[in-house]
Amino acid sequence: MNLKDFLTVMKELGFDEIIIDNNTLNQKVKLLEEINKEIQVCTKCDLHKNRTQAVLGEGNPNSPIMFIGEAPGEEEDKQGRPFVGRAGQLLTKAIESAGYKRNDVYIANINKCRPPNNRTPTIEEQEACFPYLKRQIEIINPSVLCLLGATAYRGIFKKETKITKERGNVLEYDGKKVYVTYHPAYVLRNLKEEPTFFEDIKKALELAFKK
Ligand code: URA
């Protein structure tokens, strides 16, 4: 059926408006840009004092999966992109070895500014920043969140956990599936966990892409 016939049939069925998906994508990009502008001048916690720039996140705003890490490290703070240092390269390798591209997913963090010496952001810092992530999740609306490590878990569920206990579990947050795994920086320090991490990333991706 050609487009004209298709539109005629749709009209006969009572539809007088068709929203082209690109509009949604453009709208999402616009809304994400607004958050980016806000975080670049954000002073809600002291982490802004040491940042080169805040790091919003990157990837496909229409992705069915969002990876959530902790906070930018040195390289991320320099480049303004999430997960581009050593840990990020491991995450990218795990995504690619599962047969997907970094551009197929969206990657964000609990905190948008780099903590000094890469320390874990405090609970107050996490909470000050959380509304930005919450808006990102609402805009992108992925069906799966993949939490990378204990800070991502704490940031979403507001309670502490041992990630060795939770990893591999599929949980629920706000109607979305949540897959929990290690932070790739932990995997770099515990290389025997690398195969498990790669398996987890593949399972999370399949949960999102293979319905
Ligand atoms: N670690 C994180 O948690 N996030 C990044 O963006 C980089 C390293």
Side-chain angles (χ1 to χ4, degrees):
M1 191 187 288
N2 66 31
L3 181 62
K4 189 160 174 267
D5 291 346
F6 172 76
L7 292 174
T8 308
V9 171
M10 292 306 274
K11 193 152 181 37
E12 281 165 9
L13 285 172
F15 293 94
D16 12 80
E17 189 184 35
I18 290 181
I19 297 173
I20 307 289
D21 195 41
N22 233 2
N23 281 343
T24 321
L25 180 63
N26 290 343
Q27 185 66 8
K28 286 183 176 190
V29 170
K30 209 171 129 243
L31 292 168
L32 290 168
E33 274 168 7
E34 277 169 23
I35 305 179
N36 192 32
K37 278 192 196 133
E38 290 175 41
I39 64 169
Q40 298 308 330
V41 292
C42 179
T43 55
K44 286 187 185 153
C45 79
D46 279 353
L47 294 184
H48 77 276
K49 291 183 181 162
N50 295 298
R51 73 177 170 226
T52 307
Q53 59 197 311
V55 180
L56 179 68
E58 71 177 16
N60 178 359
N62 272 338
S63 180
I65 184 164
M66 183 190 283
F67 288 89
I68 302 176
E70 181 174 295
E74 188 179 10
E75 205 48 46
E76 290 78 15
D77 173 76
K78 256 191 227 154
Q79 294 190 33
R81 298 176 56 207
F83 280 103
V84 287
R86 277 184 68 228
Q89 284 159 24
L90 186 66
L91 175 64
T92 305
K93 198 169 145 201
I95 292 169
E96 287 173 353
S97 82
Y100 296 85
K101 294 189 295 292
R102 214 178 127 104
N103 256 347
D104 294 329
V105 309
Y106 192 89
I107 305 176
N109 281 306
I110 294 291
N111 276 85
K112 310 307 185 202
C113 296
R114 181 191 180 202
N117 304 316
N118 297 343
R119 66 161 171 76
T120 305
T122 64
I123 289 178
E124 290 72 27
E125 288 160 352
Q126 291 176 32
E127 289 309 298
C129 211
F130 190 70
Y132 296 125
L133 179 64
K134 196 155 189 296
R135 279 163 64 194
Q136 278 177 293
I137 296 172
E138 278 162 12
I139 294 164
I140 294 161
N141 194 23
S143 52
V144 174
L145 302 178
C146 181
L147 306 185
L148 303 167
T151 303
Y153 182 97
R154 220 261 11 134
I156 291 292
F157 291 117
K158 314 300 179 203
K159 60 180 185 198
E160 311 282 341
T161 192
K162 283 251 170 297
I163 219 70
T164 39
K165 188 177 130 238
E166 284 296 345
R167 75 132 286 282
N169 285 343
V170 182
L171 308 172
E172 207 244 56
Y173 170 78
D174 211 10
K176 300 176 193 319
K177 289 181 184 149
V178 179
Y179 195 92
V180 182
T181 187
Y182 299 129
H183 191 287
Y186 169 85
V187 180
L188 286 173
R189 295 191 302 271
N190 297 274
L191 279 180
K192 69 172 191 336
E193 298 295 351
E194 195 180 272
T196 308
F197 176 68
F198 273 48
E199 263 310 298
D200 279 351
I201 297 297
K202 188 168 178 214
K203 280 190 201 149
L205 286 161
E206 288 181 351
L207 204 57
F209 284 98
K210 296 195 177 156
K211 299 242 170 73

